[in-house]
Amino acid sequence: MSSGLRRKLTSYGDQGFSLFLRKAFIKAMGYSDDALDRPIVGIANTYSDFNPCHGNVPQLIEAAKRGVMLAGAMPMVFPTISIHESFASPTSMYLRNLMAMETEEMIRAQPMDAVILIGGCDKTLPAQIMAAASSEIPAIFLPTGPMAVGHHKGERLGACTDCRRFWGRFRAGEIDEAEITDVNNKLASSIGTCTVMGTASTMANLTEVMGLCLPRAGSAPAAESERVRLAEETGRVAAGLAANPDAPIVRDILTPAAIRNGLVALQAMGGSTNAVVHLAAITGRLGIRLDMAELDRLGKVIPLLVDLQPSGQHYMEQFHEAGGVQTLLKAVRHEIDGSQQTVHGKTIGEVIDAAPDEPGQTIIRTIEKPLKPIGTIAVLHGNLAPRGAVIKQSAASKDLLQHEGRAVVFDSIEDMTLRIDSDDLDVSADDILVLRNAGPKGAPGMPEAGYLPIPRKLARQGVKDMVRISDARMSGTAFGTIVLHIAPEATAGGPLAIVKTGDRIRLDVKERRIDLAIDQPEFDRRMAELGEISAAKPVRGYAKLYHTRVLQADEGADFDFLQHEELERK
Ligand code: FES
């Protein structure tokens, strides 16, 4: 395979002419022949005025370019889609696959010997890892890093667990308009990703655990100089990858053992349930089914170790000060396969062994003295979830983990929005709120609507948590006794579609069950009568592609044609 500017020539029939033309055009930018003869490192630019989580990307790009050039290669920056959680309608997840496709094709189409992928906000790193897993060149990732914490009346504030906490207090009438406006000014106090253990922090940490970025790059704060130095070093490493024809590609690094290391860390850190969907999509690109049974088993033997919101008290800057991923992996070393290679050349075992001691830190606990005795995520099955569901048990109410209640069903997000705050809603704190048609096809895009608000009339009575179940996702920054990702979704004919208000539902996290408590003949009769689901079918464009080709949550909600061709369909 040719390298540098000679790679992937545009097809004009005459290769010499293709190169001649390419050089003629690029010289318009003032490049010399010496520069154009170097190995090329592509750098994906995800800066956008709509994406404050990527506000430091220009500075990171400058530093990465410096590192590439100091190591003798040529950096070439190219734009890709950028997605921010609050600026993507109907939901960012709907666009994740589009970003993955676009990034993959831009890596494939343009001449680069290695690529640096700078991502951070929830869907961006997953999309970029999916893209790179389907690509044939080496890739190194550079998370943008978490934002700084804010302060309000002597309390620390972190986006976005505290966004939800304060909004809940406002809904319940505990704080007034002036105070919620004041909090709004302080919640996101710098550029960077949400500073709790939400999806962005989880995916950045997993990127480090699975060996796809430099040590400490998962957690270094967005606004600190260390993040910029890491960008420069990322550039140097990328230059080395670009110059080495035998450098590992993502597929070489993301082995089943490396992915299992990720699952260990996910359970120990209080990571987001969204990571389960993203990891399933990433492994699908590699021809590997995410081992949900192993994820669940690990949840029984790896307790929650990290004291970060929403499962604990603190924020990402404290996690980083405590040693970040390296300290975490030290604590679960017995479950980690240390022989796994990383993109920077060391094994993950060598990275762990090089971790300095952090005496006195209390943020990352030990197996002997965990924050909570249970792992983060439990995988549920039952007649309501034949292909599975998940619950973040570490952020749930202990007394609701075994609960039977009366179903109060919402047929869609719109239905829920219209009725949830009505004083006429027949609901009590012991009921189970059911939201359906909010999965990959149903919503579409499987939005983070699984965190159903506590009905206003109950919130006013002081109810803080209820069992809520859905085929939607939930923000990694949210908390509560919430069953998510029920598969198949109602819109795809899953049993969630047959639940009626007034039915009894049993949640038993200890037994890993979620069941509709009706007798089997009645269950079968309702399923037989279900027939064709009448979801709106888009007629054109990306919406049509999404609706017709998106897979269920247990397959990562990727498009079927993007998964590895050897993966068997469910
Ligand atoms: Fe971007 Fe939370 S909104 S990471």
Side-chain angles (χ1 to χ4, degrees):
M1 165 79 79
S2 313
S3 62
L5 214 65
R6 289 169 179 75
R7 285 179 83 100
K8 306 278 175 111
L9 287 171
T10 311
S11 184
Y12 289 114
D14 174 342
Q15 297 236 320
F17 178 68
S18 295
L19 181 61
F20 171 78
L21 206 64
R22 175 174 282 180
K23 281 181 118 175
F25 277 117
I26 200 71
K27 281 181 176 175
M29 305 274 277
Y31 290 108
S32 66
D33 281 314
D34 178 28
L36 297 176
D37 278 343
R38 307 292 178 115
I40 294 175
V41 175
I43 303 177
N45 180 3
T46 53
Y47 180 80
S48 160
D49 283 351
F50 287 112
N51 195 345
C53 302
H54 291 205
N56 58 348
V57 166
Q59 193 183 14
L60 296 181
I61 287 177
E62 279 315 302
K65 285 170 76 173
R66 187 163 68 239
V68 171
M69 287 192 277
L70 285 169
M74 186 64 207
M76 301 285 277
V77 180
F78 63 98
T80 72
I81 293 173
S82 190
I83 308 170
H84 183 274
E85 286 302 289
S86 302
F87 289 93
S89 178
T91 170
S92 59
M93 184 66 173
Y94 174 70
L95 297 172
R96 184 204 62 181
N97 295 351
L98 184 64
M99 182 175 181
M101 281 175 73
E102 191 231 25
T103 304
E104 177 186 337
E105 294 306 327
M106 287 298 100
I107 292 172
R108 183 167 294 128
Q110 300 172 128
M112 58 188 88
D113 301 293
V115 64
I116 298 173
L117 294 154
I118 306 178
C121 196
D122 290 20
K123 305 304 172 298
T124 58
L125 273 177
Q128 291 175 323
I129 300 174
M130 290 159 69
S134 299
S135 306
E136 300 299 329
I137 62 167
I140 182 166
F141 294 82
L142 178 59
T144 55
M147 66 175 72
V149 296
H151 295 88
H152 174 71
K153 293 188 173 174
E155 269 190 271
R156 291 177 305 171
L157 293 183
C160 228
T161 304
D162 291 321
C163 313
R164 294 171 208 288
R165 186 163 63 85
F166 275 89
W167 190 249
R169 290 182 61 193
F170 177 62
R171 276 173 60 83
E174 291 172 20
I175 59 174
D176 62 14
E177 192 84 41
E179 184 163 1
I180 196 73
T181 302
D182 192 28
V183 167
N184 189 259
N185 285 330
K186 295 167 174 172
L187 273 164
S189 68
S190 81
I191 49 93
T193 52
C194 290
T195 186
V196 298
M197 192 60 82
T199 307
S201 303
T202 304
M203 291 309 300
N205 287 337
L206 290 181
T207 302
E208 185 177 334
V209 171
M210 297 190 296
L212 297 173
C213 67
L214 293 177
R216 295 177 69 75
S219 57
E224 290 189 5
S225 59
E226 184 183 6
R227 171 66 55 194
V228 185
R229 274 190 296 280
L230 283 164
E232 184 182 302
E233 184 58 21
T234 299
R236 279 182 192 270
V237 172
L241 295 169
N244 176 6
D246 298 321
I249 61 175
V250 167
R251 209 173 302 137
D252 301 322
I253 293 169
L254 280 185
T255 62
I259 294 157
R260 186 183 173 282
N261 285 347
L263 297 182
V264 171
L266 179 62
Q267 291 289 13
M269 74 172 121
S272 163
T273 45
N274 286 327
V276 180
V277 183
H278 297 318
L279 286 173
I282 290 164
T283 58
R285 298 299 185 101
L286 304 165
I288 303 168
R289 279 264 171 252
L290 188 65
D291 192 342
M292 297 295 282
E294 181 64 0
L295 171 66
D296 189 58
R297 192 194 72 77
L298 288 169
K300 293 175 179 163
V301 296
I302 308 272
L304 174 67
L305 301 185
V306 178
D307 189 3
L308 249 65
Q309 287 201 19
S311 300
Q313 292 301 310
H314 299 284
Y315 301 93
M316 278 298 282
E317 57 190 58
Q318 283 82 48
F319 178 71
H320 188 64
E321 284 162 15
V325 164
Q326 284 173 288
T327 304
L328 176 66
L329 292 182
K330 235 195 231 182
V332 289
R333 183 71 166 91
H334 60 290
E335 284 283 358
I336 294 292
D337 182 341
S339 70
Q340 294 308 300
Q341 282 298 325
T342 69
V343 70
H344 49 84
K346 293 195 171 74
T347 65
I348 198 70
E350 288 168 336
V351 172
I352 299 170
D353 294 341
D357 284 334
E358 302 290 344
Q361 70 84 15
T362 57
I363 305 296
I364 304 168
R365 310 288 177 83
T366 61
I367 290 278
E368 295 73 33
K369 291 187 180 160
L371 185 72
K372 292 185 185 172
I374 50 171
T376 303
I377 293 170
V379 180
L380 310 177
H381 286 88
N383 67 9
L384 269 181
R387 281 169 54 177
V390 299
I391 183 168
K392 191 171 190 176
Q393 54 177 346
S394 62
S397 302
K398 213 170 151 200
D399 57 333
L400 289 174
L401 290 174
Q402 271 76 42
H403 181 79
E404 181 174 323
R406 189 186 68 116
V408 176
V409 179
F410 299 97
D411 256 326
S412 65
I413 294 168
E414 295 70 32
D415 180 33
M416 188 261 291
T417 310
L418 282 174
R419 294 196 291 128
I420 192 99
D421 284 339
S422 164
D423 285 339
D424 296 335
L425 184 69
D426 177 15
V427 66
S428 75
D430 288 335
D431 291 342
I432 294 182
L433 303 181
V434 178
L435 172 65
R436 63 186 170 209
N437 299 312
K441 277 183 198 288
M446 206 183 174
E448 292 183 338
Y451 179 75
L452 284 82
I454 301 295
R456 197 190 293 265
K457 71 184 201 187
L458 296 180
R460 286 203 190 109
Q461 293 165 20
V463 176
K464 295 275 187 272
D465 193 12
M466 295 172 70
V467 175
R468 289 157 270 179
I469 74 170
S470 74
D471 44 18
R473 295 177 304 115
M474 166 177 98
S475 166
T477 63
F479 48 87
T481 312
I482 300 175
V483 177
L484 302 155
H485 310 179
I486 287 181
E489 63 182 309
T491 313
L496 205 55
I498 66 169
V499 182
K500 294 179 179 169
T501 292
D503 286 344
R504 307 289 295 176
I505 290 177
R506 256 195 311 268
L507 170 67
D508 189 340
V509 177
K510 194 157 172 253
E511 295 297 321
R512 303 298 200 247
R513 301 283 307 178
I514 178 78
D515 290 293
L516 180 61
I518 59 176
D519 59 31
Q520 194 61 44
E522 172 66 5
F523 187 97
D524 294 342
R525 189 187 62 75
R526 289 194 201 175
M527 286 301 287
E529 285 175 1
L530 200 52
E532 171 90 357
I533 308 283
S534 59
K537 292 193 175 60
V539 293
R540 65 174 296 278
Y542 181 71
K544 183 173 183 181
L545 177 72
Y546 191 93
H547 183 84
T548 51
R549 307 307 289 268
V550 73
L551 296 166
Q552 290 296 289
D554 57 335
E555 296 175 289
D558 198 1
F559 292 150
D560 54 2
F561 58 89
L562 293 175
Q563 290 206 313
H564 196 280
E565 60 272 17
E566 285 170 15
L567 204 60
E568 274 178 32
R569 284 273 80 76
K570 282 197 176 180

mmCIF file of all heavy atoms in Angstrom, residues 51-54 83-87 120-124 144-147 159-160 192-196 198-201 475 477, ligand 1:
data_model
loop_
_atom_site.group_PDB
_atom_site.id
_atom_site.type_symbol
_atom_site.label_atom_id
_atom_site.label_comp_id
_atom_site.label_asym_id
_atom_site.label_seq_id
_atom_site.Cartn_x
_atom_site.Cartn_y
_atom_site.Cartn_z
ATOM 1 N N ASN A 51 -21.352 23.073 20.037
ATOM 2 C CA ASN A 51 -20.859 22.003 20.908
ATOM 3 C C ASN A 51 -19.848 22.513 21.937
ATOM 4 O O ASN A 51 -18.631 22.390 21.751
ATOM 5 C CB ASN A 51 -20.241 20.881 20.065
ATOM 6 C CG ASN A 51 -20.044 19.614 20.880
ATOM 7 O OD1 ASN A 51 -20.104 19.653 22.116
ATOM 8 N ND2 ASN A 51 -19.802 18.512 20.209
ATOM 9 N N PRO A 52 -20.337 23.059 23.052
ATOM 10 C CA PRO A 52 -19.422 23.571 24.082
ATOM 11 C C PRO A 52 -18.566 22.483 24.723
ATOM 12 O O PRO A 52 -17.504 22.780 25.277
ATOM 13 C CB PRO A 52 -20.364 24.204 25.117
ATOM 14 C CG PRO A 52 -21.703 23.614 24.840
ATOM 15 C CD PRO A 52 -21.753 23.306 23.388
ATOM 16 N N CYS A 53 -19.014 21.238 24.650
ATOM 17 C CA CYS A 53 -18.189 20.142 25.191
ATOM 18 C C CYS A 53 -16.904 19.991 24.378
ATOM 19 O O CYS A 53 -15.955 19.361 24.829
ATOM 20 C CB CYS A 53 -18.973 18.835 25.186
ATOM 21 S SG CYS A 53 -20.490 18.942 26.146
ATOM 22 N N HIS A 54 -16.888 20.547 23.176
ATOM 23 C CA HIS A 54 -15.707 20.489 22.310
ATOM 24 C C HIS A 54 -15.078 21.881 22.170
ATOM 25 O O HIS A 54 -14.370 22.140 21.200
ATOM 26 C CB HIS A 54 -16.092 19.941 20.936
ATOM 27 C CG HIS A 54 -16.476 18.496 20.955
ATOM 28 N ND1 HIS A 54 -16.366 17.674 19.850
ATOM 29 C CD2 HIS A 54 -16.953 17.711 21.946
ATOM 30 C CE1 HIS A 54 -16.771 16.448 20.168
ATOM 31 N NE2 HIS A 54 -17.155 16.460 21.434
ATOM 32 N N ILE A 83 -21.603 16.424 17.443
ATOM 33 C CA ILE A 83 -22.944 16.269 18.034
ATOM 34 C C ILE A 83 -22.900 16.659 19.504
ATOM 35 O O ILE A 83 -22.082 16.110 20.259
ATOM 36 C CB ILE A 83 -23.439 14.807 17.949
ATOM 37 C CG1 ILE A 83 -23.345 14.254 16.532
ATOM 38 C CG2 ILE A 83 -24.864 14.694 18.468
ATOM 39 C CD1 ILE A 83 -23.592 12.749 16.459
ATOM 40 N N HIS A 84 -23.732 17.583 19.902
ATOM 41 C CA HIS A 84 -23.884 17.908 21.319
ATOM 42 C C HIS A 84 -25.247 17.421 21.793
ATOM 43 O O HIS A 84 -26.243 17.510 21.065
ATOM 44 C CB HIS A 84 -23.764 19.417 21.555
ATOM 45 C CG HIS A 84 -23.831 19.786 23.015
ATOM 46 N ND1 HIS A 84 -25.030 19.985 23.675
ATOM 47 C CD2 HIS A 84 -22.853 19.956 23.928
ATOM 48 C CE1 HIS A 84 -24.765 20.276 24.950
ATOM 49 N NE2 HIS A 84 -23.467 20.258 25.128
ATOM 50 N N GLU A 85 -25.271 16.945 23.035
ATOM 51 C CA GLU A 85 -26.500 16.351 23.573
ATOM 52 C C GLU A 85 -27.705 17.281 23.490
ATOM 53 O O GLU A 85 -28.808 16.850 23.173
ATOM 54 C CB GLU A 85 -26.288 15.952 25.034
ATOM 55 C CG GLU A 85 -25.426 14.729 25.208
ATOM 56 C CD GLU A 85 -25.998 13.535 24.488
ATOM 57 O OE1 GLU A 85 -27.025 13.010 24.926
ATOM 58 O OE2 GLU A 85 -25.410 13.116 23.476
ATOM 59 N N SER A 86 -27.494 18.557 23.803
ATOM 60 C CA SER A 86 -28.637 19.470 23.900
ATOM 61 C C SER A 86 -28.968 20.153 22.584
ATOM 62 O O SER A 86 -29.902 20.948 22.522
ATOM 63 C CB SER A 86 -28.364 20.554 24.948
ATOM 64 O OG SER A 86 -28.117 19.960 26.179
ATOM 65 N N PHE A 87 -28.173 19.907 21.568
ATOM 66 C CA PHE A 87 -28.392 20.598 20.296
ATOM 67 C C PHE A 87 -28.655 19.619 19.159
ATOM 68 O O PHE A 87 -28.279 19.889 18.020
ATOM 69 C CB PHE A 87 -27.195 21.494 19.971
ATOM 70 C CG PHE A 87 -27.115 22.697 20.857
ATOM 71 C CD1 PHE A 87 -26.350 22.669 22.013
ATOM 72 C CD2 PHE A 87 -27.832 23.842 20.562
ATOM 73 C CE1 PHE A 87 -26.288 23.765 22.849
ATOM 74 C CE2 PHE A 87 -27.775 24.949 21.396
ATOM 75 C CZ PHE A 87 -26.997 24.912 22.544
ATOM 76 N N GLY A 120 -15.667 13.867 22.492
ATOM 77 C CA GLY A 120 -15.918 14.043 23.922
ATOM 78 C C GLY A 120 -17.383 13.920 24.272
ATOM 79 O O GLY A 120 -17.776 13.048 25.036
ATOM 80 N N CYS A 121 -18.222 14.798 23.708
ATOM 81 C CA CYS A 121 -19.632 14.775 24.074
ATOM 82 C C CYS A 121 -20.211 13.395 23.739
ATOM 83 O O CYS A 121 -19.780 12.736 22.788
ATOM 84 C CB CYS A 121 -20.389 15.891 23.362
ATOM 85 S SG CYS A 121 -22.004 16.187 24.108
ATOM 86 N N ASP A 122 -21.195 12.988 24.521
ATOM 87 C CA ASP A 122 -21.628 11.585 24.626
ATOM 88 C C ASP A 122 -21.490 10.699 23.386
ATOM 89 O O ASP A 122 -20.922 9.613 23.462
ATOM 90 C CB ASP A 122 -23.091 11.531 25.056
ATOM 91 C CG ASP A 122 -23.296 11.966 26.493
ATOM 92 O OD1 ASP A 122 -22.426 12.656 27.046
ATOM 93 O OD2 ASP A 122 -24.340 11.612 27.062
ATOM 94 N N LYS A 123 -22.057 11.129 22.262
ATOM 95 C CA LYS A 123 -22.130 10.214 21.113
ATOM 96 C C LYS A 123 -20.880 10.263 20.247
ATOM 97 O O LYS A 123 -20.707 9.440 19.356
ATOM 98 C CB LYS A 123 -23.344 10.557 20.233
ATOM 99 C CG LYS A 123 -24.660 10.571 20.965
ATOM 100 C CD LYS A 123 -24.949 9.272 21.664
ATOM 101 C CE LYS A 123 -26.173 9.344 22.549
ATOM 102 N NZ LYS A 123 -26.100 10.294 23.661
ATOM 103 N N THR A 124 -20.014 11.255 20.490
ATOM 104 C CA THR A 124 -18.921 11.480 19.545
ATOM 105 C C THR A 124 -17.835 10.414 19.639
ATOM 106 O O THR A 124 -17.439 9.858 18.611
ATOM 107 C CB THR A 124 -18.334 12.895 19.715
ATOM 108 O OG1 THR A 124 -17.875 13.054 21.057
ATOM 109 C CG2 THR A 124 -19.389 13.946 19.430
ATOM 110 N N THR A 144 -11.892 15.211 24.810
ATOM 111 C CA THR A 144 -11.766 16.651 25.091
ATOM 112 C C THR A 144 -11.609 16.915 26.582
ATOM 113 O O THR A 144 -11.070 17.957 26.968
ATOM 114 C CB THR A 144 -12.991 17.432 24.568
ATOM 115 O OG1 THR A 144 -14.175 16.869 25.132
ATOM 116 C CG2 THR A 144 -13.071 17.386 23.050
ATOM 117 N N GLY A 145 -12.067 15.989 27.428
ATOM 118 C CA GLY A 145 -11.897 16.142 28.877
ATOM 119 C C GLY A 145 -13.087 16.790 29.556
ATOM 120 O O GLY A 145 -13.866 17.517 28.930
ATOM 121 N N PRO A 146 -13.225 16.527 30.868
ATOM 122 C CA PRO A 146 -14.390 17.049 31.606
ATOM 123 C C PRO A 146 -14.264 18.524 31.969
ATOM 124 O O PRO A 146 -13.178 19.043 32.174
ATOM 125 C CB PRO A 146 -14.398 16.183 32.875
ATOM 126 C CG PRO A 146 -12.976 15.755 33.064
ATOM 127 C CD PRO A 146 -12.382 15.641 31.691
ATOM 128 N N MET A 147 -15.418 19.174 32.072
ATOM 129 C CA MET A 147 -15.472 20.586 32.471
ATOM 130 C C MET A 147 -15.177 20.734 33.970
ATOM 131 O O MET A 147 -15.143 19.759 34.718
ATOM 132 C CB MET A 147 -16.856 21.167 32.157
ATOM 133 C CG MET A 147 -17.961 20.551 32.976
ATOM 134 S SD MET A 147 -19.585 21.300 32.739
ATOM 135 C CE MET A 147 -20.048 20.737 31.126
ATOM 136 N N ALA A 159 -22.568 19.449 35.909
ATOM 137 C CA ALA A 159 -23.482 19.029 34.844
ATOM 138 C C ALA A 159 -23.264 17.530 34.632
ATOM 139 O O ALA A 159 -22.119 17.086 34.598
ATOM 140 C CB ALA A 159 -23.196 19.803 33.572
ATOM 141 N N CYS A 160 -24.325 16.682 34.494
ATOM 142 C CA CYS A 160 -25.623 17.301 34.609
ATOM 143 C C CYS A 160 -26.482 16.605 35.662
ATOM 144 O O CYS A 160 -27.687 16.742 35.650
ATOM 145 C CB CYS A 160 -26.314 17.259 33.256
ATOM 146 S SG CYS A 160 -27.007 18.872 32.852
ATOM 147 N N GLY A 192 -15.877 21.725 27.981
ATOM 148 C CA GLY A 192 -15.553 20.347 28.351
ATOM 149 C C GLY A 192 -16.815 19.533 28.549
ATOM 150 O O GLY A 192 -17.933 20.052 28.493
ATOM 151 N N THR A 193 -16.623 18.262 28.787
ATOM 152 C CA THR A 193 -17.757 17.342 28.897
ATOM 153 C C THR A 193 -18.315 17.325 30.316
ATOM 154 O O THR A 193 -17.655 17.784 31.261
ATOM 155 C CB THR A 193 -17.321 15.917 28.498
ATOM 156 O OG1 THR A 193 -16.149 15.575 29.246
ATOM 157 C CG2 THR A 193 -17.005 15.839 27.020
ATOM 158 N N CYS A 194 -19.513 16.777 30.472
ATOM 159 C CA CYS A 194 -20.166 16.724 31.783
ATOM 160 C C CYS A 194 -19.219 16.096 32.805
ATOM 161 O O CYS A 194 -18.577 15.079 32.538
ATOM 162 C CB CYS A 194 -21.460 15.924 31.699
ATOM 163 S SG CYS A 194 -22.738 16.779 30.783
ATOM 164 N N THR A 195 -19.200 16.709 33.975
ATOM 165 C CA THR A 195 -18.141 16.381 34.926
ATOM 166 C C THR A 195 -18.508 15.276 35.912
ATOM 167 O O THR A 195 -17.762 14.977 36.827
ATOM 168 C CB THR A 195 -17.715 17.662 35.666
ATOM 169 O OG1 THR A 195 -16.609 17.349 36.483
ATOM 170 C CG2 THR A 195 -18.841 18.212 36.518
ATOM 171 N N VAL A 196 -19.689 14.682 35.726
ATOM 172 C CA VAL A 196 -20.048 13.522 36.556
ATOM 173 C C VAL A 196 -19.704 12.257 35.758
ATOM 174 O O VAL A 196 -19.198 12.340 34.648
ATOM 175 C CB VAL A 196 -21.537 13.564 36.935
ATOM 176 C CG1 VAL A 196 -21.834 14.807 37.755
ATOM 177 C CG2 VAL A 196 -22.413 13.512 35.700
ATOM 178 N N GLY A 198 -21.115 10.497 33.764
ATOM 179 C CA GLY A 198 -22.133 10.314 32.737
ATOM 180 C C GLY A 198 -21.547 9.537 31.572
ATOM 181 O O GLY A 198 -20.476 8.929 31.675
ATOM 182 N N THR A 199 -22.238 9.604 30.455
ATOM 183 C CA THR A 199 -21.797 8.815 29.300
ATOM 184 C C THR A 199 -20.455 9.299 28.754
ATOM 185 O O THR A 199 -19.591 8.500 28.388
ATOM 186 C CB THR A 199 -22.865 8.869 28.195
ATOM 187 O OG1 THR A 199 -24.107 8.481 28.765
ATOM 188 C CG2 THR A 199 -22.523 7.932 27.054
ATOM 189 N N ALA A 200 -20.272 10.620 28.700
ATOM 190 C CA ALA A 200 -19.017 11.141 28.142
ATOM 191 C C ALA A 200 -17.826 10.692 28.974
ATOM 192 O O ALA A 200 -16.816 10.206 28.437
ATOM 193 C CB ALA A 200 -19.083 12.658 28.064
ATOM 194 N N SER A 201 -17.916 10.847 30.305
ATOM 195 C CA SER A 201 -16.802 10.434 31.169
ATOM 196 C C SER A 201 -16.604 8.925 31.088
ATOM 197 O O SER A 201 -15.465 8.432 31.051
ATOM 198 C CB SER A 201 -17.081 10.830 32.618
ATOM 199 O OG SER A 201 -17.312 12.209 32.713
ATOM 200 N N SER A 475 -29.921 9.294 30.473
ATOM 201 C CA SER A 475 -28.628 9.963 30.591
ATOM 202 C C SER A 475 -27.793 9.284 31.676
ATOM 203 O O SER A 475 -28.320 8.880 32.720
ATOM 204 C CB SER A 475 -28.830 11.429 30.965
ATOM 205 O OG SER A 475 -27.608 11.973 31.385
ATOM 206 N N THR A 477 -26.011 10.693 33.570
ATOM 207 C CA THR A 477 -25.945 11.597 34.713
ATOM 208 C C THR A 477 -27.174 11.475 35.604
ATOM 209 O O THR A 477 -27.270 12.141 36.622
ATOM 210 C CB THR A 477 -25.822 13.054 34.229
ATOM 211 O OG1 THR A 477 -27.004 13.394 33.501
ATOM 212 C CG2 THR A 477 -24.622 13.240 33.330
HETATM 213 FE FE1 FES B 1 -21.700 17.014 26.237
HETATM 214 FE FE2 FES B 1 -22.720 16.134 28.648
HETATM 215 S S1 FES B 1 -23.619 17.481 27.174
HETATM 216 S S2 FES B 1 -20.891 15.602 27.644
#
